[in-house]
Amino acid sequence: MPENPVVKQMVFPPEVLARIAPDISLQRHLSVGLRPSLRGFNEFRPMEVSEGGLNDVGKNNLIGSSVVKSGDTRVICGITLGIVEENSVDKILSLTSSAEDDSLENYSSVYPVVDISRGRSGAPTDEEMILSQKLYETILHNKIIDNEALKVQVGTKVDNDIIYPDGSGENDDLLRPKKNWSYTLYAHVKVFSRSGPLFDICYSALIGALKNCKIPRAYIDDKSTDIRIPVRSRGNFGHLRESYNLLLDTNYNENLSIKEAGTPSSYGIIDVEKPVAEAGDEDDMDVDQAPAATTVLLADLEGEAEETCAVSKINIISSKDSLKPLKHISIIGGGSRITKALLKESIRIANLRSEL
């Protein structure tokens, strides 16, 4: 047996090292001032939002759609609608809250369903459910969709003509039914080639679909209306509830009115360990002393290595509104400390992006 055995060092290609040890691969890139995607630390990927152009897909007609491209990731969003009858609680809230009131009771949201394509089928994952709920809460608390924009304008079909009350005729009260209805929006978000956190691109796809939504009118066919006669039984008087069959009138489409939605910007915070030569003389360091580290702010995380290692994250939605430029901000603390300087820098970059 030789006295000095030869030790062979195993070398992995960069793409293999990024899969088996993403933290080591990312530290090697960041220590020399680079990212695995070769983008700058504060550089975002270009995002293209276009109208989907999807019509009559499946049983439900789409009233709005969009396609978003960001790097290798593609997101398709389609919006359908349903009609719900307003109950007594909704009427009481509408009377107590005026149009000038800015409370959440005057705003609505969208019910999104996020589906991340992974080549398999089954129950939705935790990521899909959490992302769907976050999109719903963000749309609602940002007060983007007003309740008045989803009110159903109901007309009446007389012979072959559909008459809508416009508020100027004497017979508007006769044409207007006793019940009130409103639209409910459902968003179906399909993600392909996932390559990082998805909130920014899904939020942009959802807003893009809302901007080109066409809300139709609805009418009541007098032939399909179920009219019941009051009934008296054993000394008790009562009547059956009227039922209406609402039909959509796609000949009259109006653009959905939404407020400023803002531009989303997401960041990750990672501690980069400096080499020993930069941290100081190795002879002067204690045995238990760790190498010096610096904290960097990475915009628009991309790839498995950045998404896995960046536990601390910042998400900001900034708008062009000078009075309320920040519409949403969330901070998730993790392994890296989020300082005031990093938070100010992330807000500054987000404001610049919203002005473009």
Side-chain angles (χ1 to χ4, degrees), residues 153-352:
Q153 300 182 17
V154 181
T156 303
K157 184 176 183 181
V158 181
D159 295 333
N160 294 326
D161 298 330
I162 302 176
I163 303 175
Y164 293 97
D166 55 2
S168 60
E170 298 180 355
N171 298 325
D172 285 351
D173 294 336
L174 299 176
L175 296 175
R176 185 179 295 108
K178 298 179 181 179
K179 300 179 182 179
N180 296 320
W181 294 270
S182 61
Y183 289 116
T184 301
L185 301 181
Y186 304 93
H188 306 269
V189 184
K190 185 72 173 180
V191 182
F192 300 93
S193 301
R194 182 185 187 278
S195 62
L198 297 174
F199 176 78
D200 289 0
I201 188 171
C202 289
Y203 181 81
S204 300
L206 183 56
I207 296 301
L210 289 175
K211 288 182 178 179
N212 63 74
C213 273
K214 304 292 184 180
I215 301 297
R217 290 184 177 181
Y219 65 92
I220 299 175
D221 192 350
D222 55 353
K223 297 181 181 180
S224 62
T225 301
D226 190 6
I227 302 176
R228 302 301 175 91
I229 302 174
V231 178
R232 182 185 296 272
S233 176
R234 295 182 180 179
N236 297 323
F237 177 80
H239 63 278
L240 299 178
R241 187 178 182 181
E242 293 179 338
S243 62
Y244 298 93
N245 185 18
L246 292 181
L247 303 176
L248 294 180
D249 186 6
T250 57
N251 294 324
Y252 296 91
N253 295 326
E254 298 179 357
N255 294 328
L256 176 63
S257 177
I258 63 174
K259 297 185 179 181
E260 175 64 29
T263 303
S265 302
S266 296
Y267 309 87
I269 295 90
I270 300 179
D271 292 334
V272 181
E273 298 180 359
K274 293 184 179 180
V276 177
E278 298 182 8
D281 192 359
E282 186 177 3
D283 297 336
D284 298 336
M285 295 178 60
D286 298 334
V287 178
D288 298 335
Q289 184 180 357
T294 181
T295 305
V296 296
L297 183 70
L298 299 182
D300 191 12
L301 299 178
E302 181 182 5
E304 182 179 357
E306 294 184 356
E307 185 178 5
T308 304
C309 299
V311 182
S312 300
K313 298 178 182 178
I314 301 175
N315 179 255
I316 298 174
I317 298 179
S318 181
S319 65
K320 299 179 181 180
D321 189 357
S322 58
L323 299 178
K324 296 180 179 179
L326 288 181
K327 301 184 70 66
H328 170 80
I329 180 169
S330 63
I331 302 174
I332 301 176
S336 302
R337 180 170 176 266
I338 302 177
T339 62
K340 292 183 179 180
L342 293 176
L343 185 57
K344 290 180 179 180
E345 180 66 13
S346 61
I347 295 176
R348 184 188 68 83
I349 299 174
N351 291 335
L352 291 177

Side-chain angles (χ1 to χ4, degrees), residues 21 58 93 109 249:
L93 291 177
S109 185
D249 186 6

